[in-house]
Amino acid sequence: MNILLLSAYHSASHRYWCDGLMAAFPEHNWTLRHQPARHFSWRIEASGWLWAMSDDAAFQQSYDLIIATSLTNVVTLKARCPALRDVPLWLYFHENQFAHPLSDQQQRAHQTAWQFKSLENAFCADWISFNTHFNRDTFFTGARQLFKKFPEQFPGNVLSNIEKISDVLPVPLTERFSALREQPKDPKLIVWNHRWEWDKQPQCFLSALLQLKQSGVDFRLAMLGSGGGRGDAFAGERQALGECVVHWGEADEATYRHWLGRAGVGVSTALHDFQGLAMQELAQAGATCVVPNRQAYPECLPDAVFYQGNEQDAAEEARELADVLKPQLNGRKVESAIPLRWKNYVTNYQAIINRLRSL
């Protein structure tokens, strides 16, 4: 089959999925097109136009199937590219804007437009997959609430029709870190491997560690993740943690593997995780995962150590996290099951490809 794979906001997790998908089905002829993971609102609005108006011959060829991430403006792309109009479309939702936290008033002003754009894309699709039940449930719950705000009702059962052509299909893990599971672990080594941005709550995490240090708990910290160590971000916390810090900032592949292979404990304080690939990589490497009881974590990491968390009170959440971490750092080991793997999901992915091939 000739498949056009589109990723309009090619972040690390979207790239991971694209690479894993193509590697899982080498028998197909893949054409991948992607755009940078920056200027979020621009990508949602303009990605289809940018591709349609380019000189790229890929958008003038015939395909058996189009697979696109939900942030891709497929409505415009199909309208402007005659060769693509009748090609079956499989839309994949890594996230949805109905359950996505917002950082400022400007983003909130754009939220309804982003939500409706995702619905437009869904109207265009022949099949829709969500990476988790949490993602699917919050999408349709949010869409129904949005519909109530419209001045006129759509004719027919629009959302029910979309639900009928949707399923839940996770982003499987590659075997990238499977071998690390057998390596000896440092039970007092805590690894953080998330973006250093507000929705992942690094401040809350570091506050919990400062409480542990002040109470005399022995631990080491490898603070990884994208965006880490830029400028003076959390310089005060780093200084206060002192000799507890064994790594601070973004890491290359070899360094990242080194710390994941040694990690005794991996932690998340995220307000935003629709599947939690970073935590699943830690689980794959054999770390005990400590996560809040929210978002997709109960679904994707059922064997994790959970703390209740408090999305409205970061200080309270930090105190609770510190209390939950103490027994883990004192030798309690919680073995996580090996997370989702491609070899267990190839059949599910192939079934959808086969279904759409027959359209």
Side-chain angles (χ1 to χ4, degrees):
M1 288 182 68
N2 293 319
I3 302 177
L4 177 62
L5 179 58
L6 301 174
S7 178
Y9 195 83
H10 208 50
S11 62
S13 59
H14 293 203
R15 180 172 63 251
Y16 184 92
W17 176 72
C18 288
D19 291 346
L21 180 60
M22 292 186 291
F25 297 98
E27 68 274 19
H28 298 310
N29 181 26
W30 295 92
T31 299
L32 171 65
R33 291 295 182 269
H34 56 80
Q35 295 179 23
R38 58 176 183 261
H39 310 309
F40 183 83
S41 186
W42 171 247
R43 295 287 163 232
I44 289 179
E45 296 290 343
S47 58
W49 288 101
L50 291 171
W51 276 325
M53 299 174 70
S54 71
D55 294 326
D56 191 342
F59 299 101
Q60 302 167 18
Q61 298 175 10
S62 61
Y63 297 93
D64 301 298
L65 176 63
I66 299 170
I67 304 177
T69 62
S70 62
L71 300 180
T72 305
N73 183 353
V74 292
V75 177
T76 298
L77 185 63
K78 279 207 161 197
R80 298 288 299 179
C81 297
L84 306 181
R85 287 176 191 169
D86 296 325
V87 180
L89 170 65
W90 180 7
L91 196 65
Y92 193 88
F93 277 79
H94 291 269
E95 52 84 51
N96 76 75
Q97 290 301 309
F98 296 101
H100 202 297
L102 300 172
S103 61
D104 55 36
Q105 189 61 41
Q106 184 179 17
Q107 286 193 336
R108 281 186 281 274
H110 287 290
Q111 185 182 41
T112 299
W114 293 344
Q115 292 170 348
F116 193 73
K117 187 65 68 174
S118 67
L119 284 167
E120 286 184 321
N121 288 333
F123 296 157
C124 247
D126 296 284
W127 193 260
I128 303 166
S129 291
F130 296 84
N131 56 353
T132 59
H133 290 279
F134 169 77
N135 191 358
R136 185 180 186 274
D137 293 345
T138 54
F139 175 84
F140 285 110
T141 298
R144 287 191 166 84
Q145 292 172 350
L146 180 64
F147 272 34
K148 294 177 182 178
K149 299 178 183 178
F150 293 158
E152 296 177 324
Q153 290 188 349
F154 283 107
N157 299 313
V158 177
L159 290 178
S160 296
N161 292 337
I162 295 175
E163 282 183 292
K164 292 175 183 177
I165 58 166
S166 72
D167 67 357
V168 173
L169 193 58
V171 176
L173 269 69
T174 67
E175 299 302 319
R176 180 183 176 194
F177 299 121
S178 294
L180 301 180
R181 195 174 183 86
E182 306 306 318
Q183 292 187 8
K185 308 302 176 189
D186 179 350
K188 294 187 180 298
L189 174 63
I190 303 172
V191 168
W192 164 279
N193 61 337
H194 311 278
R195 288 181 289 102
W196 291 33
E197 297 179 28
W198 70 275
D199 60 319
K200 301 300 182 181
Q201 294 202 112
Q203 180 71 64
C204 176
F205 169 66
L206 293 171
S207 295
L209 296 194
L210 287 171
Q211 292 177 40
L212 290 177
K213 185 179 181 185
Q214 290 164 4
S215 61
V217 177
D218 181 30
F219 66 89
R220 285 166 288 283
L221 168 65
M223 191 77 175
L224 310 174
S226 61
R230 294 183 296 193
D232 295 327
F234 309 112
E237 288 85 351
R238 180 179 185 178
Q239 183 177 7
L241 288 168
E243 71 282 356
C244 296
V245 177
V246 295
H247 180 92
W248 187 273
E250 291 188 59
D252 58 26
E253 176 70 13
T255 305
Y256 188 79
R257 290 183 64 87
H258 169 76
W259 292 119
L260 250 66
R262 294 187 59 195
V265 179
V267 178
S268 172
T269 49
L271 297 172
H272 159 221
D273 244 334
F274 286 90
Q275 183 170 333
L277 286 174
M279 291 307 301
Q280 289 187 353
E281 287 182 344
L282 279 161
Q284 183 181 41
T288 294
C289 294
V290 178
V291 297
N293 189 21
R294 59 175 175 247
Q295 299 286 306
Y297 288 132
E299 176 182 348
C300 295
L301 290 168
D303 300 322
V305 176
F306 290 95
Y307 64 95
Q308 191 57 39
N310 189 327
E311 296 181 56
Q312 282 70 49
D313 190 337
E316 174 59 32
E317 178 155 327
R319 286 191 290 271
E320 184 184 352
L321 174 58
D323 288 340
V324 171
L325 281 172
K326 287 177 183 178
Q328 312 309 320
L329 296 168
N330 286 329
R332 181 187 294 177
K333 173 66 175 175
V334 178
E335 186 75 23
S336 296
I338 298 177
L340 313 164
R341 305 169 77 172
W342 260 110
K343 67 179 184 179
N344 297 330
Y345 284 91
V346 167
T347 301
N348 304 72
Y349 273 80
Q350 186 63 64
I352 296 174
I353 292 173
N354 291 342
R355 179 185 294 118
L356 296 176
R357 179 190 304 187
S358 64
L359 293 180

